Amino acid sequence: MSAEHALITILVEKLRNDSLVLPTLPEIALRVRRTADDPEVSLAVMAETISMDPALTARMIRVANSAFLGRSIKVSTLNQAVTRIGLSQIKTIATAMAMEQLFLSQNAHIQQMMDKAWRDTVQVTSIAVACLSYYRSLQNKCVLSPDVMTLAALLHHIGLLPILTEAEKHQEVFGHPGFMRHAMAKLSPQIGLAIMKAWGFSETYQRVIAEWQQPKVSAQPDYTDFVRIATIAQRSFPQPEQQQALLSRYIELGLLPDADFMQEPAIAAVYKDVRALFA
């Protein structure tokens, strides 16, 4: 049995037995999510919760002052930032900012993979949000939320983290050129779904993780379509032979202007703004 096949067998067995160690959200993200879910919470209480983490505080102020929120007057305090961002967006932003902390490893080789995975995830997220913004500008009745889109895209490949963690214990697979591609395509959706359930995320996010690798177009545009579009733009869609057909269909449905959609000024501008949030 090859090292690659052996590792996939181990992962499948651990999934079946519910013994696979899943990543956990950092405590500050969990605290912010719990606070935001309280229907009686005030902006002042939310600011107090965020202030427990200096790094998150700084990021919130930076987000509040970003071009993404489209405000020219700068804020300088956390209370001002929380007021500008609003409770509905804070939960998503805090989770998004905390996710980067999950892409860490003590092994130098695995850390390189983690770094690339995070860069790719941010890239997919930026493209997906930019394309959704373009679509929303044309469709006044579009109910898809940029905040949900941001978090869904950041989570779309979360299943690769346990795969990388498990690979750290089996160094003989590191050099195999097809290992990560094969393992992630085969197991990432299942593992990602297990993580989403463990974290208590809704079916909206679960559907993105379960379906984005599938070469199909939704009956009505949803978050999965925009993640799929972003991976096509990245040339990382797992079924490359299907990319052109999918792209043509998305253009036909009006989700994209043309095959060179990343050159569309409205898409390029939002893409740049979202990328800046993670700089």
Side-chain angles (χ1 to χ4, degrees):
M1 180 183 294
S2 69
E4 176 188 5
H5 185 250
L7 183 52
I8 290 177
T9 301
I10 290 170
L11 288 164
V12 170
E13 186 62 26
K14 287 190 174 185
L15 267 177
R16 185 180 296 119
N17 297 332
D18 291 325
S19 60
L20 185 65
V21 177
L22 303 177
T24 57
L25 274 176
E27 178 58 32
I28 184 60
L30 293 173
R31 193 179 300 128
V32 169
R33 291 181 66 83
R34 286 195 296 266
T35 302
D37 286 339
D38 181 355
E40 304 298 324
V41 72
S42 66
L43 289 171
V45 170
M46 178 57 79
E48 182 179 351
T49 301
I50 294 171
S51 69
M52 297 178 184
D53 188 300
L56 183 57
T57 297
R59 295 292 286 271
M60 283 291 178
I61 293 175
R62 193 170 78 187
V63 168
N65 287 326
S66 69
F68 186 61
L69 290 186
R71 305 295 182 88
S72 58
I73 300 176
K74 302 297 184 182
V75 303
S76 57
T77 69
L78 179 58
N79 284 335
Q80 291 172 334
V82 168
T83 300
R84 173 171 292 182
I85 295 170
L87 289 173
S88 63
Q89 296 185 62
I90 283 175
K91 181 177 175 180
T92 295
I93 292 171
T95 306
M97 298 307 177
M99 279 193 59
E100 187 173 4
Q101 300 176 37
L102 301 177
F103 288 77
L104 296 174
S105 172
Q106 297 299 315
N107 182 284
H109 195 144
I110 291 294
Q111 186 58 58
Q112 289 179 353
M113 295 182 182
M114 292 278 196
D115 289 342
K116 182 180 185 305
W118 177 248
R119 289 194 302 270
D120 290 348
T121 296
V122 169
Q123 182 76 350
V124 166
T125 300
S126 303
I127 295 171
V129 173
C131 290
L132 174 59
S133 175
Y134 169 82
Y135 180 70
R136 280 166 52 89
S137 72
L138 301 178
Q139 302 290 333
N140 294 331
K141 295 183 179 180
C142 177
V143 297
L144 299 178
S145 161
D147 299 325
V148 175
M149 182 75 265
T150 300
L151 192 51
L154 284 171
L155 291 166
H156 82 283
H157 225 346
I158 193 70
L160 65 83
L161 288 179
I163 296 173
L164 287 171
T165 299
E166 197 67 32
E168 192 168 348
K169 304 171 187 175
H170 303 271
Q171 298 190 27
E172 67 274 16
V173 305
F174 290 170
H176 195 294
F179 164 69
M180 287 305 302
R181 182 172 62 254
H182 186 191
M184 289 191 292
K186 182 178 177 65
L187 296 176
S188 181
Q190 298 176 57
I191 297 173
L193 281 173
I195 295 171
M196 289 297 90
K197 291 174 182 177
W199 288 2
F201 277 70
S202 70
E203 289 186 9
T204 297
Y205 298 100
Q206 294 181 32
R207 186 165 59 252
V208 170
I209 287 174
E211 298 181 2
W212 74 267
Q213 296 191 45
Q214 300 174 13
K216 65 179 185 179
V217 175
S218 306
Q220 294 292 329
D222 68 13
Y223 300 109
T224 308
D225 291 302
F226 290 97
V227 168
R228 199 176 288 129
I229 286 169
T231 62
I232 290 173
Q234 275 282 86
R235 293 184 173 83
S236 59
F237 187 69
Q239 300 187 47
E241 72 280 1
Q242 300 288 341
Q243 289 186 157
Q244 190 55 52
L246 286 168
L247 187 58
S248 297
R249 182 60 176 151
Y250 284 130
I251 294 170
E252 179 183 337
L253 293 173
L255 275 69
L256 301 171
D258 52 46
D260 294 322
F261 60 93
M262 289 306 297
Q263 303 304 314
E264 166 67 34
I267 292 177
V270 176
Y271 163 79
K272 181 180 178 181
D273 291 343
V274 178
R275 283 280 303 174
L277 295 179
F278 298 95

